[in-house]
Each structure stands twice: as structure tokens, then as C-alpha cells.
Amino acid sequence: MMAKSPPDRGTGGPPADGVGGWLWSHVSQFKGHIAAHLTGSVLWHLLSAAIPIAIGVAIDAALEPEPDMVRFTGVILLILAMVVVRGIGGFVGTYSLEAYASGTERDARTGLFSALLRKGQSFYNRRPVGDLSARVTGDAEALNLMLSPGADMTVDMLLSILVPVVTIALIDPELLLSPVVFVIVFVLVLLAHGRRLEPVAGQVREVNGKLGAQVSETLTGIETVAATGSADSALRRFTGLARDYRDATVRQADVQSLYLPPLLINLALAGALLHGAVLVREGSLTTGEFIAYLGLMGALRGPTQLAAFSIGLVYYGIAGARRILEIINDRSDGDDTEGGHAATVAGEVTFEAVTFGYGDSPVLHDISFRVPAGATVALVGPTGSGKTTLLQLLNRTYRPDSGRVLVDGVDVGEWDLESLRGQTAVIEQDVVLFSSSIADNLAFGSAPGTTRADLEQAARDARAHDFIMETPDGYDTLVGERGVTLSGGQRQRIAIGRALLADPRILVLDDSTSAVDSATEQEIHQAVRRASAGRTTFLITPRLSRIRSADHIIVLDRGRIAGQGRHEDLIDGCELYHRIFAPYLATSTAESAEGGRR
């Protein structure tokens, strides 16, 4: 059956409103780590502020007319103890920060991937796969960087400003003039800088997604690129996007370079030096206090310089969070139904006046039929008549524009998607295998507890066991991406074995034996016939022998039902069906007559 998707931590239902709420829904799962990080950071900064004061006390003790060496030694030992405790606080804070930053990235990435697994095909028709990959990887990583070191730097910046300013007030409230004026101007300038930085950070993430999409599409179709000699054209498109990405990052750097606080802190330091010197001359401030004051003012230089970098990472992460949340909130028609109908499928299928189109032009028009459980249905019609599209409505790859598709009397839109698709096996002409072992590809989507013996039996039924055993490592042989190391017929037989192993209640065969020889095809059809006993089977095939054996035949022409019934009824009662198969019947009759004369 269909494999369980990974747990979606914080994104299982509708996400919290806004980027801030969504981010908090993830970060808040690590409250203990956050508390440890803040405690360690506060301890670090309190002791960092206390150490200059202690140094000032030690200097005053040493500069007295009769130096108090006992006091001086005690202060030095206290300073050493504070350095050790500060180091422990820094370790705890850093470790806790990395724990919740990496955990947030992991949960956001897993939640986004889980949401992608629940999306319908119409969603993927609108979204380049490369861009989605960039969101799962790069945008999720931006969240980590936003917290570590981004948020950490922001916390450090606040504490590195708050603690020195409070400490300065404890020394002498008169000394607050320069630091308070600096902090007020600094906050205003920083807010204005953030408003300029936010849109360009979003542009960088957006262009990065387009760049990833171009790489993915080119490499996925590399055979076509090489065969058509389009490498130069692909390179030009990639070069253009790379140039756009460079331009976006340069614009971001331009905004970041217009950062004024380093100039402001120098002006504040000059004012502090002048003010402190005046107070020392007046005798209201000791030399030690003056040195401690300048040390505390100098401590403001660090957060001022780091603020530009930290705010850049924060807005970079917010841009990534917006792109992730955009995907999670993009509800397409085929999305999974929370709490939908889940039951064992019997296999009765009904189409009621179904109309569907990929755009403004309908592909299917007013399709109606009913198939009892366990029946075999063949779909017949010229290329482009809508056969494959009709079957894609069956497992809710798409939803009809009007009308209803019912399985066991329940609209497919009301079914739990995992329950419905877990009991529906689709074998298409274009088989998709994964970069893993043959055994893993056979077992993909199978029920838990499937054994190697089960895999081998399914492979035998699909006539794949013999060629598998001829590969270097048998069932453990690795296949390339999309199974490129196997022939088309081998890929189809593995896909058939995978479907048989899933033990579906509804089996869909879309020209699934087009790449095998006649003898192997006959063997596979015998295996499929045995496996489909008691199961509802839909098949698209040009083989008249398979069509004639179907319980019900539906003839499609330009998206409309041109006729339906059994072979004997349609060969005389449906002009299109007769036109398609009359040449085969005439050839078969002639060959039989020739054989009789011989």
C-alpha cells in the first residue's frame, strides 16, 4: 500500500496566520533550548560587563597611596572565576542555539516535504520542480541561518547594548547622555535599514529558486538537450539567470553597505571621552570608573558592527519562510482531504456527467458510465481522445470541472487520498524508477512487513526475476535515476511487479507492455490476468486480443464517449471502433484462410 508520509510538525493543517505565527509554531517546540540559550547569553553578557568594573576596582586598589594587595588579589581571583563561568555560559548558550536552530530547519523542511506529498497534480503543473527543490533545501536552510547566527547575533546585540548601558547607569547616571542618545538613533537607523533590506532579500531567494528550476529541468532532460544540440541555448538561459542572481545579490550588498551605525558609535565614543574627562577633572569620577566607563562604551562597538550582518540573516530567513509558507498555503484541487473516507475498496467505479480540462478547453465532455466491482474495462480511441486523462481522474490526480467520479459510491474528492491511492495501482508507459536498488523499487508503496520472498514472487509473476538475477548484484543492484540503466521493457516489468506486490483493488494499465516483446507480453498478461481476478481493471492497449477479452469497452473520440459495450456489439454498432479494428480483423481472417489452404 501507499507508504506513510513523514510527520508534518506544525504544518499538518492550515498553517498559523502569517510568517511570524508559522515560525513560532516551529521554534516554540524547543522552549527548553531557547531558555538555556537565553540564560547562557545573559550570563555571558552580565559577566562581560562585570569584568571591566572589577578591573577598574583592581586598578583603584593598586593606585591607592598604600596599595591594598589583599583586595587587589581577591579582585583578580574573582575576575578569573567570572571568566570561567562566562565560558560555561557561552558553551551552554551556543549548544542550545544550534540545537533549536537545526531542529527548526529539520521540522520546517520535513513539514514542507510532507505538504508537497499531499499536493495534487494541478499544483505541480504550475510549479517548476527545481524551484520546489530550492524551497525544500535552500529556503529551509535560510531559517537555520536566521536563528544561528542571525537570531543569536540579535540577542547578543540587544544584551550587548542593554547590559553596558545599565552598568553605566550604576556607575554614574550622569554618564548616560552619550549611550542613550546613541541607542535611540541606532534603533531608528536600524529599522529604516531593515525596511530597505527586506524586499531585496526576497528577490535573492526568488531568483535562486528560478536558477534551481533551470538546472533541474535541463539535467532532467539532458538526453533531449544533447540529442537536439541545444546545449548552447540551455547555457545562455542559465547564464542569464546566473546574471540575474548576481545582480540581486549586488543590490542586496548595496543596501547593506549603506549602514550608518559604525559612524554613530564613533561619534558616541568621542562624546563619551569628552564627557568622562570633564567629570574626572571635576573630581566626580575616579580614574578607575572612567576606564570602566570607556570600556563599557567600547563594548557597544561590537553589536553595532554585527547588527548589519545579523539583520541581513534575519530578513534572508524571513524571505525563505515566506516562500515555504506560500507552498504550504497553496491549496490545489488534488490536495489530501483531512479526515476523508477510508475503507477497503470493493472496486465499483462510476462516472457521472464528468467534464474536465487542463485549461479553458475541456479534454473530456459529459463522460458517464458505471463499472461493477471486479470487471475489466478497456479504453479505446485515437491519440488525444482523453483515455489517460480519464484514468487520472480515477485516483484523484485531477478533479473534474463538473460531474462526479465515485468509487464504491463515494466521491473520490471525499476519500482519504492515502486510502484511495494505496488501493489503486497505476502502471504507465513512462515508468518512473528511483535511484536505489531493484528490491527497493519493487517494494516502493508495498505494505509494511513485505519480505524478500514476496518481492521475488512478484518479480516472477511480472517475468522480471530472470533478468534481475542476471544483473551484477541481483535484487540489490542499483539502478540509475529514473531507471536509466535498465531497458524500457525491464523498467515496465519492475513496475508491474511493484503493482502486483501492492495487491491493489483497482488496477490501471496504461499501455504498460509497449516496451516488451510479444512472448514476454503474453507472459505478463497471463500474470496480470491472474492478479486482476476479483479486482477492477482499466487498461489502455492497442492489442485487440486484450481488448476483446474485456468485460466492458469504452470508445472515446475527442473527449466524448463514441460507444461502449462488448467487442461484438461495438464492431458493428460503433463506426469509430469498426474503423480502428477492421484492418486487424481482415488481416486475421486472411491469415486464417491462408493457413487453412496450406
Side-chain angles (χ1 to χ4, degrees):
M1 299 302 169
M2 188 175 179
K4 296 283 186 183
S5 55
D8 181 4
R9 306 178 81 168
T11 60
D17 292 336
V19 174
W22 179 79
L23 283 172
W24 177 244
S25 72
H26 286 283
V27 176
S28 62
Q29 298 178 66
F30 303 94
K31 292 186 176 71
H33 290 92
I34 295 173
H37 168 229
L38 293 177
T39 300
S41 296
V42 169
L43 189 62
W44 171 277
H45 288 285
L46 285 176
L47 293 176
S48 294
I51 288 173
I53 296 177
I55 292 174
V57 172
I59 291 175
D60 284 341
L63 293 180
E64 289 179 356
E66 296 183 4
D68 187 348
M69 298 309 297
V70 174
R71 182 184 176 194
F72 178 81
T73 302
V75 173
I76 294 299
L77 292 176
L78 177 62
I79 291 172
L80 292 176
M82 287 191 292
V83 168
V84 173
V85 174
R86 185 180 68 170
I88 295 173
F91 170 78
V92 171
T94 301
Y95 176 83
S96 301
L97 168 70
E98 292 299 330
Y100 77 77
S102 298
T104 299
E105 177 189 0
R106 175 202 63 203
D107 290 352
R109 180 175 284 137
T110 302
L112 175 57
F113 190 72
S114 177
L116 289 173
L117 292 177
R118 297 194 304 270
K119 298 297 182 184
Q121 190 61 43
S122 60
F123 168 85
Y124 290 100
N125 290 346
R126 296 182 282 106
R127 298 279 186 176
V129 172
D131 178 63
L132 296 177
S133 298
R135 297 182 194 234
V136 175
T137 54
D139 289 330
E141 183 181 13
L143 298 183
N144 192 332
L145 294 175
M146 179 183 67
L147 296 173
S148 175
D152 183 45
M153 288 181 174
T154 303
V155 171
D156 282 348
M157 178 186 68
L158 294 175
L159 291 174
S160 296
I161 292 174
L162 180 63
V163 172
V165 170
V166 171
T167 307
I168 289 172
L170 295 176
I171 295 175
D172 189 339
E174 286 189 71
L175 297 174
L176 286 175
L177 178 62
S178 288
V180 168
V181 171
F182 164 73
V183 169
I184 293 173
V185 178
F186 173 68
V187 170
L188 295 176
V189 170
L190 200 61
L191 291 175
H193 181 73
R195 285 194 295 270
R196 293 192 303 270
L197 186 60
E198 183 176 7
V200 295
Q203 290 172 6
V204 170
R205 294 308 312 157
E206 181 179 352
V207 177
N208 180 69
K210 293 180 180 179
L211 195 63
Q214 175 65 25
V215 172
S216 177
E217 291 175 0
T218 302
L219 296 182
T220 300
I222 192 64
E223 293 181 2
T224 303
V225 171
T228 58
S230 302
D232 290 342
S233 176
L235 180 59
R236 284 194 299 273
R237 289 195 298 272
F238 179 82
T239 302
L241 288 172
R243 188 183 302 111
D244 292 342
Y245 182 73
R246 179 206 62 190
D247 294 343
T249 54
V250 168
R251 284 194 296 272
Q252 183 177 8
D254 288 342
V255 173
Q256 290 177 319
S257 65
L258 299 175
Y259 183 66
L260 297 177
L263 174 62
L264 297 177
I265 186 62
N266 288 326
L267 294 175
L269 284 171
L273 179 63
L274 178 61
H275 188 201
V278 170
L279 293 178
V280 170
R281 188 171 182 177
E282 291 176 351
S284 60
L285 196 68
T286 68
T287 302
E289 290 173 334
F290 179 55
I291 292 174
Y293 172 53
L294 292 181
L296 291 169
M297 283 298 298
L300 296 177
R301 184 185 296 277
T304 301
Q305 294 172 337
L306 289 178
F309 184 57
S310 64
I311 197 171
L313 290 175
V314 169
Y315 279 107
Y316 195 62
I318 290 174
R322 280 204 175 94
R323 282 168 49 81
I324 292 174
L325 195 58
E326 177 190 359
I327 297 301
I328 294 174
N329 283 333
D330 188 336
R331 304 295 180 181
S332 62
D333 290 341
D335 283 1
D336 198 359
T337 304
E338 297 287 341
H341 179 74
T344 300
V345 170
E348 179 185 348
V349 176
T350 305
F351 276 58
E352 295 181 348
V354 170
T355 296
F356 171 77
Y358 298 106
D360 297 332
S361 301
V363 177
L364 298 174
H365 306 264
D366 196 27
I367 302 295
S368 295
F369 63 85
R370 177 185 173 277
V371 176
T376 298
V377 181
L379 299 180
V380 176
T383 301
S385 58
K387 302 185 293 296
T388 298
T389 299
L390 186 148
L391 294 179
Q392 288 176 325
L393 297 175
L394 182 61
N395 67 350
R396 214 171 85 199
T397 300
Y398 296 102
R399 286 189 179 182
D401 297 331
S402 63
R404 295 196 303 166
V405 180
L406 302 99
V407 173
D408 294 344
V410 179
D411 192 313
V412 294
E414 298 175 5
W415 273 86
D416 175 82
L417 200 56
E418 183 174 342
S419 178
L420 176 64
R421 291 182 178 173
Q423 300 178 82
T424 304
V426 180
I427 308 173
E428 298 178 319
Q429 182 177 358
D430 183 17
V431 174
V432 175
L433 299 182
F434 301 94
S435 300
S436 185
S437 67
I438 292 176
D440 289 340
N441 275 283
L442 280 168
F444 186 80
S446 62
T450 300
T451 65
R452 177 57 68 93
D454 296 330
L455 294 179
E456 294 183 4
Q457 184 57 51
R460 287 189 176 93
D461 289 341
R463 298 302 185 264
H465 178 76
D466 291 342
F467 87 77
I468 292 174
M469 297 309 297
E470 292 174 358
T471 58
D473 297 315
Y475 283 84
D476 295 321
T477 299
L478 298 178
V479 299
E481 188 173 3
R482 298 182 65 86
V484 295
T485 57
L486 302 176
S487 69
Q490 290 171 336
R491 292 198 298 269
Q492 286 187 334
R493 279 180 276 176
I494 289 178
I496 291 172
R498 182 165 62 193
L500 297 178
L501 191 65
D503 191 23
R505 306 308 304 169
I506 298 177
L507 186 61
V508 177
L509 306 171
D510 189 351
D511 204 8
S512 57
T513 57
S514 60
V516 300
D517 57 77
S518 299
T520 304
E521 179 191 10
Q522 185 59 33
E523 293 176 346
I524 293 174
H525 282 158
Q526 290 174 1
V528 171
R529 190 176 296 114
R530 291 194 301 271
S532 63
R535 295 169 174 80
T536 305
T537 305
F538 288 83
L539 61 92
I540 299 175
T541 177
R543 308 290 195 255
L544 179 59
S545 59
R546 291 287 292 146
I547 295 171
R548 294 179 68 168
S549 64
D551 299 311
H552 191 73
I553 301 170
I554 298 174
V555 184
L556 293 175
D557 183 22
R558 298 179 183 178
R560 301 181 186 275
I561 293 182
Q564 56 180 315
R566 295 187 64 85
H567 171 76
E568 294 77 11
D569 303 323
L570 294 171
I571 198 65
D572 294 324
C574 178
E575 180 182 353
L576 176 60
Y577 188 84
H578 180 85
R579 189 166 65 247
I580 293 174
F581 292 110
Y584 295 95
L585 294 173
T587 301
S588 177
T589 302
E591 289 177 351
S592 298
E594 181 66 21
R597 286 194 295 271
R598 292 177 181 175

